[in-house]
Amino acid sequence: MSLSQGHGETIRFAFGDSPALADELLELVLAGRKTATCGALSDFEAGGEPMPQVGRQDIVLDGKGRPAAVIETVEITIRAFSEVDEDFARAEGEGDLSLTFWREEHEAYFQRNGGFSPDMKLVCERFRLVKILERQDPKE
């Protein structure tokens, strides 16, 4: 069964850059607090990640790589890091939901993952939670 409903191939991914961060951000999605995410446009252009597509449903993995949720992209905008506003920062659902927190955490994230500049272009994605999947540890 394809989840993409004609909007490109379903992508499987985890948020963040570590298992702990993947679990933390996933829990925000499952709680309904996180409805947005972003990534460096250069990562998509380099072919490292597939570009999000409005209407495509993707599978979010937990920190152990298990399918945990299905989300659907509802909006994509490209803007400079410095142009991200309070509304988008709040939709990312992290920390105290402030733009200041968002900027500090995302600057550190981009520094760890290839570099940061205030004028770097970001792919800003809003999504909705479609389904929570039952996660089970494999029994071997």
Side-chain angles (χ1 to χ4, degrees):
M1 176 181 127
S2 172
L3 297 170
S4 61
Q5 301 174 356
H7 295 280
E9 186 178 331
T10 299
I11 305 302
R12 296 164 60 99
F13 76 98
F15 289 107
D17 60 355
S18 70
L21 188 54
D23 284 339
E24 177 183 326
L25 297 177
L26 171 62
E27 288 307 315
L28 294 175
V29 171
L30 299 180
R33 183 169 160 166
K34 181 174 183 60
T35 59
T37 191
C38 68
L41 178 60
S42 60
D43 290 344
F44 295 101
E45 291 175 335
E49 299 180 43
M51 193 74 157
Q53 298 175 14
V54 172
R56 187 179 71 205
Q57 294 184 359
D58 295 328
I59 298 172
V60 182
L61 306 175
D62 67 11
K64 293 180 179 178
R66 299 175 300 184
V70 177
I71 62 170
E72 181 179 347
T73 301
V74 297
E75 178 186 88
I76 300 164
T77 57
I78 297 177
R79 62 180 91 163
F81 180 94
S82 61
E83 295 171 338
V84 171
D85 59 16
E86 189 86 35
D87 182 58
F88 190 82
R90 189 173 27 263
E92 283 238 22
E94 299 171 44
D96 65 4
L97 306 180
S98 71
L99 183 57
T100 299
F101 180 89
W102 183 92
R103 285 184 174 155
E104 289 171 358
E105 291 300 307
H106 282 76
E107 180 176 342
Y109 173 84
F110 291 122
Q111 289 284 12
R112 290 193 309 269
N113 291 281
F116 167 78
S117 111
D119 62 347
M120 69 187 289
K121 295 293 185 190
L122 302 180
V123 176
C124 298
E125 175 184 3
R126 291 182 185 265
F127 58 84
R128 70 180 186 90
L129 178 62
V130 174
K131 183 176 182 180
I132 298 173
L133 304 175
E134 185 176 335
R135 291 177 273 170
Q136 297 181 350
D137 286 318
K139 308 276 187 221
E140 295 186 344

